[in-house]
């Protein structure tokens, strides 16, 4: 497919956000400098079939979303939300399955606006915001996109797979790459963060079981040591630790739970792993051991306002989730919202 070269129009007065805590990374200085180059100049689009990489860690917000801040806020009718991410400032970014639009909501007021219009045939599902204000967006139909969260401008787009037969579903940032899951294929895809470069494909081997005709790999986070990935397979409901070097997947033994069926979004804070089980309307909270080989169920979180929540993000002492309402009509008139629950 042809390369596309969208031009960056970020104002020169852009002020860099403070970085969230990350595992030690010897390439950090080079990566940050290259991201600034991307933000200040042209963004190169690489369209590479069946290639990819990715990165990500759970961040720790420094302020508590307490007091009068709303614990629920509406989204436009027909928005069809699924992904949510929050950075170091109290703004949530939410993606639309209807047209790929991205909406920013102020957590202090619940008010929001569309910052990226999307378009016909576009989808935005999982998304993650990095410390330089770049949004990495899973596009479902084989596409990964990078969007400037300040201007809403599309900076880069990667065609990771064929448009059909695949489902680029969720993303996490780890080291110098953004890693994406494909729910219909046993492959993870990674793209370079904030710099030019080719995507990478990481086939899943080892204990990984790929069940045909259902969603498999879904939510994804980094391991506590920052050296690997944890992926949930929605069907039949298993957690795996994945080597970034080889793609070898080791099943994580569950203690206190038989499965994590319908596992969707993941969030890791230290050695605590939050697993959103969408159609069960529950968040299962697990304690990981030091090597992330076992996950012990500590408790579950549920709420009467849950209506098939999909993904989760943290701000302070709250978890924010979007209700995808998969069991309700998905029409332009269907109402949607996001809700917050206490950690």
């Amino acid at each position: 497919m042809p390369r596309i070269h969208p031009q960056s129009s970020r104002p020169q007065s852009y002020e860099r956000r403070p970085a969230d805590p990350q595992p030690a990374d010897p390439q950090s200085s080079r990566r940050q400098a290259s991201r600034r180059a991307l933000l200040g100049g042209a963004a190169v689009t690489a369209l590479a079939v069946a290639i990819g990489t990715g990165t990500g860690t759970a961040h720790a917000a420094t302020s508590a979303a307490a007091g009068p801040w709303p614990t629920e806020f509406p989204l436009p009718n027909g928005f069809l939300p699924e992904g949510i991410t929050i950075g170091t400032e109290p703004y949530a970014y939410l993606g639309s399955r209807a047209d790929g639009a991205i909406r920013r909501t102020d957590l202090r007021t619940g008010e929001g606006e569309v910052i990226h219009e999307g378009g016909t045939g576009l989808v935005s599902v999982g998304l993650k915001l990095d410390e330089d204000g770049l949004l990495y967006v899973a596009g479902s139909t084989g596409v990964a996109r990078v969007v400037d969260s300040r201007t809403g401008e599309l900076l880069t787009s990667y065609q990771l797979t064929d448009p059909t037969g695949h489902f680029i579903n969720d993303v996490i940032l780890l080291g110098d790459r953004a890693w994406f899951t494909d729910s219909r294929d046993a492959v993870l895809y990674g793209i370079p963060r904030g710099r030019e470069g080719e995507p990478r494909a990481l086939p899943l081997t080892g204990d990984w079981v790929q069940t045909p005709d259902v969603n498999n790999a879904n939510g994804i986070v980094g391991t506590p040591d920052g050296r690997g990935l944890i992926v949930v397979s929605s069907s039949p409901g298993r957690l795996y630790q994945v080597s970034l070097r080889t793609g070898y997947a080791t099943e994580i033994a569950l203690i206190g739970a038989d499965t994590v069926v319908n596992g969707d979004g993941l969030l890791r804070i230290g050695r605590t792993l939050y697993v959103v089980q969408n159609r069960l309307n529950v968040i299962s909270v697990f304690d990981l051991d030091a090597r992330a080989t076992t996950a012990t169920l500590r408790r579950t979180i549920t709420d009467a306002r849950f209506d098939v929540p999909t993904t989760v993000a943290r701000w302070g002492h709250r978890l924010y989730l979007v209700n995808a309402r998969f069991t309700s009509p998905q029409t332009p008139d269907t109402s949607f919202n996001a809700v917050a629950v206490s950690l």
Side-chain angles (χ1 to χ4, degrees):
M1 300 184 70
R3 291 181 180 268
I4 303 172
H5 302 274
Q7 297 296 314
S8 172
S9 59
R10 178 179 295 283
Q12 294 300 313
S13 61
Y14 172 77
E15 181 178 353
R16 201 167 166 266
R17 297 180 176 180
D20 294 330
Q22 298 255 350
D25 183 355
Q27 298 179 328
S28 177
S29 297
R30 178 173 60 83
R31 186 176 71 245
Q32 291 177 6
S34 63
R35 286 191 208 147
R36 288 193 292 271
L38 173 61
L39 292 169
V44 178
T45 301
L47 301 180
V49 177
I51 303 179
T53 61
T55 63
T57 56
H59 74 276
T62 57
S63 300
W69 291 20
T71 60
E72 182 176 347
F73 51 85
L75 299 171
N77 285 1
F79 190 73
L80 305 186
E82 184 164 348
I84 183 171
T85 186
I86 301 171
T88 56
E89 298 175 5
Y91 297 96
Y93 296 82
L94 306 99
S96 169
R97 290 177 285 116
D99 58 6
I102 297 174
R103 182 178 177 87
R104 179 172 56 212
T105 295
D106 189 328
L107 299 179
R108 296 165 295 188
T109 65
E111 297 178 355
E113 62 179 346
V114 171
I115 62 163
H116 178 71
E117 294 292 340
T120 303
L122 294 180
V123 176
S124 293
V125 280
L127 65 169
K128 288 294 182 294
L129 178 68
D130 82 357
E131 63 268 26
D132 278 323
L134 299 181
L135 280 166
Y136 293 81
V137 185
S140 179
T141 55
V143 177
R145 308 196 312 276
V146 183
V147 172
D148 184 333
S149 68
R150 295 292 178 88
T151 66
E153 178 189 5
L154 174 65
L155 297 178
T156 314
S157 180
Y158 294 85
Q159 187 73 40
L160 301 176
T161 70
D162 292 333
T164 59
H166 298 269
F167 181 12
I168 302 302
N169 196 340
D170 211 347
V171 56
I172 193 65
L173 311 178
L174 185 62
D176 63 354
R177 290 188 178 270
W179 290 97
F180 294 81
T181 56
D182 184 345
S183 293
R184 295 297 174 128
D185 197 6
V187 182
L188 302 180
Y189 297 94
I191 64 173
R193 291 175 63 186
R195 61 182 174 83
E196 298 180 22
E198 293 299 319
R200 175 189 170 200
L202 185 68
L204 297 172
T205 62
D207 294 342
W208 185 266
V209 175
Q210 185 72 16
T211 306
D213 303 321
V214 295
N215 285 340
N216 289 258
N218 200 328
I220 182 171
V221 293
T223 54
D225 63 9
R227 297 178 180 176
L229 298 166
I230 295 174
V231 179
V232 63
S233 177
S234 300
S235 303
R238 296 172 179 170
L239 290 172
Y240 295 90
Q241 181 183 162
V242 178
S243 167
L244 282 173
R245 184 174 60 86
T246 65
Y248 192 95
T250 302
E251 185 173 356
I252 298 174
L254 300 180
I255 300 173
D258 294 330
T259 72
V260 284
V261 65
N262 297 134
D264 200 325
L266 298 183
L267 173 68
R268 183 185 57 77
I269 303 174
R271 281 165 48 184
T272 301
L273 181 68
Y274 297 82
V275 182
V276 182
Q277 293 177 261
N278 54 32
R279 294 176 186 264
L280 301 184
N281 289 315
V282 69
I283 306 170
S284 293
V285 185
F286 291 91
D287 288 328
L288 298 169
D289 69 341
R291 298 177 61 188
T293 59
T294 65
T296 302
L297 182 65
R298 183 204 308 169
R299 61 191 176 99
T300 58
I301 302 171
T302 189
D303 191 284
R305 298 168 300 161
F306 285 176
D307 193 349
V308 194
T310 45
T311 53
V312 59
R314 175 195 181 187
W315 178 263
H317 298 302
R318 287 181 177 177
L319 301 176
Y320 287 83
L321 304 97
V322 290
N323 282 319
R325 306 196 66 195
F326 289 147
T327 56
S328 300
Q330 306 284 286
T331 74
D333 296 322
T334 303
S335 61
F336 293 96
N337 68 348
V339 299
V341 296
S342 174
L343 276 173

